[in-house]
Amino acid sequence: MTSPAGPPPTGGGGEQRSVRLLAVTACPTGIAHTYMAAEKLAQAAESRGIDMKVETQGSIGAENVLDDNDVAQADGVIVAADKDVDLSRFAGKRVLTVGVAEGIRHPEQLIDRVLSAPVHAAGGAPTAPASAGGRERGAGYKALMNGVSYMIPFVVVGGLLIAISLSLGGHTDPSGGLVIPKDSFWMDVNNIGVIGFTLMVPILSGYIAYAIGDRPALVPGMIGGWIANTGELYDSKAGAGFIGAIVTGFLAGYLVRWIKKVKVPRFAQPIMPIIVIPIVATTALGLFFIHVIGKPISWVFEHLTDWLGGMTGTSAVLLGAILGLMIAFDMGGPVNKTAFLFGAGLIATGNQTVMGMCAAAIPVMPLGQGLATLLRRRLYSEQERETGFAALFMGCFGISEGAIPFAAARPAQVIPANMLGGAVAGAIAGVAGVEDAVPHGGPIVAVLGAVSGVPMFFVAVVIGSVVTALATVALVDVSERGRRGAVAPAGAGAVVPEPVPVGAGAGGAAAPVESAAAVPASSGSSAGGAGEVLSGHLTERTVRVRLDAADKAAAIREMAALLACSGRVVDEDELVATALRREEQGTTGLGEEIAIPHAKTDAVSAPVVGFARSDEGVEWDSPDGTKARLVFMIAVPEAAAGDEHLRILALLSRKLTDAGFRERLLAAPDEAAVVEVLREVG
């Protein structure tokens, strides 16, 4: 994206050379705004005879990456981004940071402003400011999800290795416990799994901190998470677990951001992000957790143990329910460990019923969350569904941590559901007098003969897991509906189960056409190679020359009905709901009278693209304020949502910057002519 035109003066020692500018564009969701801003900036630079290279940081990864030589020769850098961009490589250069919408709306102004922008100092702010163009998830939520996404592989790998080693190498020991021979091969496998589990909490904390404070926050976040998970450091028999890691992650991230604002002498700036900030933040956070936060955790642990000790003579149902609630609350944290160690400690006294209550509750969380991903697949992403399968396996071996990724991602919905199921399981085991002779839980202990009252033990586990799954699905569904708002049902002419005829609503006499389901793939120009573009994802069946909708929601419903003509839509209502949820994260209106709503959902069986024109235009909250007259809709199933989805968005957004191409789309008289114009996309 360079333009080698004429050499404007730069005012350097009487020499004249062409101005060289760099740019970085990025948007947090999708890829269209990233490429639209890149093309607009490149075009504006070319019109002024300015050399410009633009790096795009879309979801598909960084392209046209700026190297050290580019930076060395640059006179200024424009960062048009709505997500974190590392600015450290631009130290000593004039850097202008704006939202990605500004790159689309005012590229010429940005080029004028960058030459008088402040020089970026080493160790300066590493991120671009958020744009006001379009709503998105809060920074706290995105930071939490960043930590969860990095934590999940550690949970899965560590949990499955522990489960495999227990199933193939473990046995009950007369002295108590479920053990693996120390010198066996399976103990090595178990130890590797334990390392994965040990790392998962610091990883969660570290990458929450990283999302907030960038690289200087990674070390204090991870060390803070390790401290939170190591109760011995603050005189507690159990660490704070994943809840403590979330706390340390946010504390580390915001502490680092605050330290970055402190003005230091110029000579100290280069060492701030790699030495000073990590050391100061790590020390402060570690001491704060050990001496301030850790003490209350230890106090809670001790008093919970005393309280439970006073309940051993009360109703078994009540005690079982309370233990189940505690086991399910934090899955390895102080509350969980209090209940577990209380039950384990009573085994030596001959009271095995308390451990039986705990053993029934321990697998309920991972089993329930795994079951929830099977009951309502559309509520979960592909990664969450894969984690759900792993959680089911871990639950069978009494590894409650398998549910932590779900609890960390949706604490308000998952933790109450876990506690309800755990309480039910514990109460059933208590009333049935289930006993467990080893300090472990889950179906594995029953299979290995450590449990008495096996039938009722399994009844407790199954009922508790089902309760957790149903409660989770209900709470997540209510949360999703509340977040996206009630989706009004489409009118009779918008969303219908039958395929909509091509050209419907275009005016004039209606010509007889076959339904989408009845048109064979090789027939005429309406299908097959003659009528297909964008790798066959768009055909004449998914093109309409007149969009009747007057508002965004109605337009999305009408476009979903159009996509249904392809025969690839299996749930039209869900497709509409997913597309509207995407709009809540940030508008898909790109400006220049263009909108590209898109959805990743299993409501479609294969990728499909539709196009429609609006004569009056639809208000789409576009960055330049224009109404959308050219509307593309892209839908891909979750399993195929990777590069193909992003490739389509990139191809469309780049081509649509060409004013001549847009004019040809607006002037095309019918669907076949539109398809011919769209062949230019590639």
Side-chain angles (χ1 to χ4, degrees):
M1 298 181 189
T2 59
S3 45
T10 62
E15 263 183 48
Q16 287 193 341
R17 65 172 177 85
S18 61
V19 174
R20 295 185 178 91
L21 297 180
L22 304 179
V24 179
T25 61
C27 57
T29 54
I31 200 170
H33 293 80
T34 298
Y35 286 103
M36 285 288 287
E39 294 293 336
K40 288 291 183 182
L41 286 166
Q43 290 172 1
E46 183 176 5
S47 69
R48 294 179 175 222
I50 295 175
D51 289 335
M52 175 176 280
K53 181 176 180 179
V54 185
E55 175 183 305
T56 53
Q57 294 187 4
S59 298
I60 200 170
E63 297 177 276
N64 207 32
V65 176
L66 307 177
D67 57 33
D68 292 343
N69 188 54
D70 295 325
V71 175
Q73 297 182 20
D75 297 299
V77 183
I78 299 170
V79 178
D82 288 344
K83 70 174 188 177
D84 295 348
V85 173
D86 184 6
L87 303 185
S88 61
R89 53 184 166 156
F90 303 134
K93 296 293 179 180
R94 295 188 181 276
V95 177
L96 176 65
T97 58
V98 296
V100 71
E102 287 298 298
I104 298 173
R105 285 168 23 181
H106 307 300
E108 296 86 358
Q109 294 180 18
L110 298 183
I111 291 173
D112 292 337
R113 290 167 55 193
V114 70
L115 295 178
S116 58
V119 174
H120 181 69
T127 57
S131 166
R135 290 178 294 130
E136 56 179 290
R137 293 279 199 174
Y141 177 86
K142 291 193 291 184
L144 179 61
M145 289 303 98
N146 191 61
V148 171
S149 66
Y150 280 100
M151 175 187 69
I152 284 176
F154 290 86
V155 176
V156 173
V157 171
L160 292 183
L161 288 178
I162 292 173
I164 291 169
S165 64
L166 284 172
S167 63
L168 299 178
H171 60 81
T172 56
D173 189 275
S175 61
L178 189 64
V179 299
I180 302 170
K182 288 186 178 180
D183 296 328
S184 70
F185 167 80
W186 295 113
M187 177 55 77
D188 294 333
V189 174
N190 182 271
N191 289 337
I192 295 171
V194 169
I195 291 172
F197 256 21
T198 304
L199 288 173
M200 74 172 180
V201 173
I203 290 293
L204 172 64
S205 177
Y207 280 96
I208 290 173
Y210 177 81
I212 298 170
D214 207 62
R215 282 181 292 181
L218 188 60
V219 170
M222 286 193 173
I223 293 178
W226 188 285
I227 292 172
N229 202 40
T230 309
E232 293 89 342
L233 293 174
Y234 42 92
D235 299 324
S236 174
K237 293 182 181 179
F242 83 96
I243 294 178
I246 292 173
V247 172
T248 57
F250 280 104
L251 286 176
Y254 286 110
L255 177 60
V256 167
R257 284 181 61 171
W258 178 77
I259 294 174
K260 286 180 180 179
K261 295 179 181 179
V262 176
K263 293 184 177 180
V264 298
R266 190 175 185 86
F267 73 86
Q269 290 177 356
I271 65 171
M272 287 294 290
I274 58 174
I275 298 177
V276 178
I277 293 176
I279 289 177
V280 171
T282 301
T283 305
L285 177 63
L287 293 175
F288 177 76
F289 199 97
I290 290 172
H291 295 289
V292 179
I293 298 178
K295 296 299 181 183
I297 293 174
S298 178
W299 182 89
V300 168
F301 182 93
E302 293 171 0
H303 284 75
L304 278 176
T305 303
D306 294 340
W307 177 65
L308 287 174
M311 292 189 63
T312 52
T314 62
S315 166
V317 175
L318 177 60
L319 181 59
I322 292 173
L323 289 171
L325 286 170
M326 295 173 65
I327 289 288
F329 174 69
D330 53 1
M331 292 157 285
V335 178
N336 170 285
K337 281 294 190 294
T338 297
F340 177 81
L341 294 177
F342 176 69
L346 290 177
I347 294 175
T349 68
N351 182 347
Q352 300 178 356
T353 56
V354 174
M355 193 63 221
M357 302 172 194
C358 297
I362 284 171
V364 162
M365 297 80 75
L367 291 176
Q369 295 305 321
L371 181 59
T373 64
L374 298 178
L375 292 177
R376 289 294 300 275
R377 291 175 57 82
R378 294 194 186 105
L379 292 176
Y380 297 90
S381 68
E382 183 68 22
Q383 184 184 46
E384 287 175 319
R385 291 197 292 268
E386 292 173 356
T387 306
F389 280 114
L392 287 170
F393 192 72
M394 283 186 260
C396 292
F397 295 90
I399 303 171
S400 60
E401 288 87 346
I404 286 179
F406 299 97
R410 297 183 174 99
Q413 293 79 39
V414 171
I415 292 178
N418 283 347
M419 294 173 67
L420 180 60
V424 169
I428 293 174
V431 75
V434 172
E435 296 183 351
D436 180 13
V438 300
H440 199 81
I444 183 66
V445 294
V447 171
L448 294 176
V451 169
S452 64
V454 172
M456 287 306 299
F457 173 80
F458 278 106
V459 168
V461 170
V462 169
I463 293 177
S465 301
V466 170
V467 168
T468 288
L470 294 177
T472 300
V473 166
L475 291 173
V476 172
D477 193 34
V478 168
S479 174
E480 288 295 305
R481 290 179 184 274
R483 188 170 65 84
R484 70 180 181 241
V487 179
V495 177
V496 291
E498 296 82 16
V500 179
V502 173
V513 292
E514 297 176 284
S515 71
V519 179
S522 60
S523 64
S525 64
S526 64
E532 295 181 346
V533 295
L534 289 171
S535 304
H537 302 326
L538 181 145
T539 71
E540 283 187 33
R541 280 181 271 167
T542 57
V543 171
R544 182 177 296 174
V545 293
R546 180 176 174 182
L547 186 67
D548 295 323
D551 59 68
K552 184 195 294 190
I556 287 176
R557 289 194 289 269
E558 192 173 340
M559 291 300 296
L562 181 61
L563 294 187
C565 296
S566 67
R568 299 178 180 180
V569 177
V570 295
D571 188 336
E572 200 169 306
D573 290 337
E574 180 61 25
L575 173 57
V576 172
T578 303
L580 290 176
R581 285 198 298 270
R582 169 60 185 85
E583 292 296 328
E584 290 179 358
Q585 295 177 333
T587 180
T588 56
L590 305 184
E592 304 285 4
E593 301 182 321
I594 303 160
I596 310 181
H598 44 277
K600 296 184 285 186
T601 172
D602 288 331
V604 296
S605 59
V608 58
V609 182
F611 168 76
R613 291 195 315 237
S614 172
D615 293 339
E616 300 297 325
V618 179
E619 181 57 55
W620 218 284
D621 302 318
S622 298
D624 62 358
T626 59
K627 292 184 176 182
R629 296 183 63 198
L630 303 175
V631 181
F632 291 85
M633 186 166 182
I634 304 169
V636 295
E638 286 279 1
D643 290 353
E644 184 65 9
H645 171 228
L646 302 174
R647 184 184 71 85
I648 296 169
L649 275 170
L651 286 172
L652 283 174
S653 57
R654 280 171 164 161
K655 187 63 179 175
L656 286 166
T657 60
D658 182 347
F661 177 75
R662 299 197 302 272
E663 288 299 325
R664 291 192 291 278
L665 274 181
L666 289 169
D670 54 30
E671 284 75 18
V674 167
V675 170
E676 286 305 312
V677 175
L678 289 174
R679 288 188 191 283
E680 300 176 28
V681 175

